[in-house]
Amino acid sequence: MKRFFSICVSLFILGIIYWKIDFPQLLQVLQNSNVWWLVISLSMVVPLTLLTSWRLQQLMPIDKRLGFGEAIRLILAASVLNMVLPSKMGDIAKAFFMKERGQISSSLSLSLVVFEKACDLLSLLLWCVFGLLFYSQQNWLFWVMTASVSLGLFFGVMLLASQQFAQVFFDVGKFILPKLSSKLAKLQSSWGQMHNYFWRDRTHLLLIVTTSIFIWFLHLLQIWFFIFAINAWTPFLANLALSPLAILAGLLPLTFAGVGTRDAALIVFYQPYFNAPTAAALGLLCTSRYIIPAIAGLPFLGQYLTMLQTIRNGKQSIRY
């Protein structure tokens, strides 16, 4: 029901966007796209998937690591599940499959996925803050967003860097949100295990963090290439500021895969550089960043769903 509601919200927002803008001009922008830049930008999905899969390998204990091909299949299958399940549950499913394939504990596999997603979010915030500091068209709204993103980055880094800070943060969260206390307690336990696992080898931690920062640099570079593909222009530092803000808008738990909120944010934030139909075309290309890996993951999804069903049947047999 929640997924159906999010799809309806996405369609509603897109309906307003396409009703307000010059739709024939949007089609013209797409038709006049630069084919070579389109191919280059879309093909960046390949190195991004390979790098993300390699990072997933590095997250796991050396003696329990997945093969590189298995890591790729798992990343792509999770991309499919993230498209159809609410709240990025594909990543939670990824933790389950990591546990089964790598023979690691449930808490450790969840900790690895939590750390992976935390690195992704903090890397995105880092590039956003960097871009906003050099953004030339600052106004009061952008100063507020700069302060908010910087504060989020600070809290995120402190959560990863200090176990004491993390404990206080989760304790305060459980006090303020008593209905979520059980979920926060599980996350707090996983967070503590994640701290113990990664901080014992700081060289390994530095490798994961720098890889995550580089991965998100490539993500934002891909969006900049999308702008070239639609024959538009934005300074690179401005793109580092604006594209993360649009991605963050797409993370709001209101729409299907960020469709609608991300498109509206692109139209608003890129207004100084190109018109609304061009920004809407950019929104379609940004959505393809999620659709292409999901399509590529469809052939592997059945394998993991079959494995899940086999495990469930095995557990039921043990109960009987």
Side-chain angles (χ1 to χ4, degrees):
M1 185 64 184
K2 183 178 179 180
R3 178 55 66 181
F4 175 75
F5 175 76
S6 64
I7 292 175
C8 290
V9 173
S10 289
L11 292 175
F12 177 74
I13 296 175
L14 286 179
I16 294 176
I17 291 173
Y18 293 148
W19 176 56
K20 289 286 187 180
I21 68 174
D22 187 342
F23 189 73
Q25 189 176 352
L26 167 62
L27 296 179
Q28 187 176 6
V29 170
L30 294 173
Q31 290 171 356
N32 295 335
S33 297
N34 186 302
V35 176
W36 287 110
W37 276 115
L38 196 60
V39 171
I40 292 170
S41 56
L42 291 175
S43 63
M44 285 189 69
V45 169
V46 176
L48 282 167
T49 301
L50 296 179
L51 266 175
T52 305
S53 302
W54 181 81
R55 183 185 62 176
L56 180 64
Q57 271 191 308
Q58 303 308 308
L59 284 169
M60 300 184 69
I62 296 177
D63 58 335
K64 303 291 186 180
R65 282 180 182 170
L66 302 172
F68 188 52
E70 179 71 16
I72 293 173
R73 291 192 291 271
L74 188 52
I75 289 291
L76 292 176
S79 298
V80 183
L81 295 174
N82 279 334
M83 290 291 292
V84 298
L85 296 178
S87 303
K88 295 289 184 179
M89 288 300 293
D91 292 313
I92 304 300
K94 183 169 64 177
F96 174 81
F97 293 128
M98 286 168 60
K99 177 180 79 74
E100 296 299 327
R101 290 294 198 185
Q103 299 297 311
I104 59 178
S105 66
S106 300
S107 58
L108 178 58
S109 63
L110 180 60
S111 300
L112 298 181
V113 171
V114 168
F115 182 75
E116 179 190 34
K117 294 298 106 182
C119 283
D120 281 335
L121 180 58
L122 292 179
S123 298
L124 179 64
L125 293 178
L126 177 65
W127 286 117
C128 186
V129 170
F130 180 79
L132 284 170
L133 290 176
F134 293 94
Y135 187 54
S136 60
Q137 302 191 40
Q138 290 275 19
N139 54 37
W140 69 269
L141 177 60
F142 276 95
W143 282 118
V144 169
M145 288 189 290
T146 301
S148 300
V149 174
S150 300
L151 186 63
L153 178 62
F154 171 77
F155 270 94
V157 170
M158 288 298 297
L159 284 171
L160 287 181
S162 170
Q163 192 164 4
Q164 292 76 17
F165 183 88
Q167 293 296 329
V168 172
F169 177 84
F170 285 113
D171 289 339
V172 172
K174 286 185 290 185
F175 177 77
I176 296 175
L177 303 170
K179 292 183 179 180
L180 299 177
S181 59
S182 60
K183 293 183 179 180
L184 288 173
K186 292 180 181 179
L187 183 58
Q188 184 177 15
S189 175
S190 296
W191 201 270
Q193 185 169 358
M194 177 267 294
H195 264 278
N196 296 330
Y197 176 77
F198 283 103
W199 280 101
R200 66 187 179 187
D201 186 350
R202 298 193 177 187
T203 302
H204 184 227
L205 175 65
L206 181 62
L207 174 66
I208 299 299
V209 171
T210 53
T211 301
S212 300
I213 293 172
F214 181 63
I215 286 173
W216 273 96
F217 174 80
L218 293 182
H219 277 296
L220 303 179
L221 183 65
Q222 181 188 34
I223 295 175
W224 197 45
F225 288 169
F226 282 154
I227 295 174
F228 292 169
I230 54 178
N231 297 305
W233 166 253
T234 302
F236 183 63
L237 287 178
N239 183 69
L240 286 181
L242 301 178
S243 55
L245 291 176
I247 292 173
L248 290 172
L251 294 178
L252 296 174
L254 300 173
T255 56
F256 173 71
V259 175
T261 49
R262 183 173 54 247
D263 299 76
L266 289 169
I267 291 173
V268 172
F269 293 143
Y270 282 88
Q271 189 176 9
Y273 301 102
F274 40 78
N275 59 26
T278 303
L282 177 61
L284 292 174
L285 291 176
C286 287
T287 300
S288 72
R289 299 174 60 251
Y290 305 93
I291 294 177
I292 293 175
I295 293 174
L298 286 174
F300 310 118
L301 183 61
Q303 168 190 348
Y304 290 102
L305 293 180
T306 300
M307 183 178 75
L308 178 61
Q309 187 62 41
T310 301
I311 294 169
R312 284 180 175 177
N313 291 340
K315 288 181 178 180
Q316 289 176 355
S317 299
I318 293 174
R319 289 175 185 173
Y320 289 129

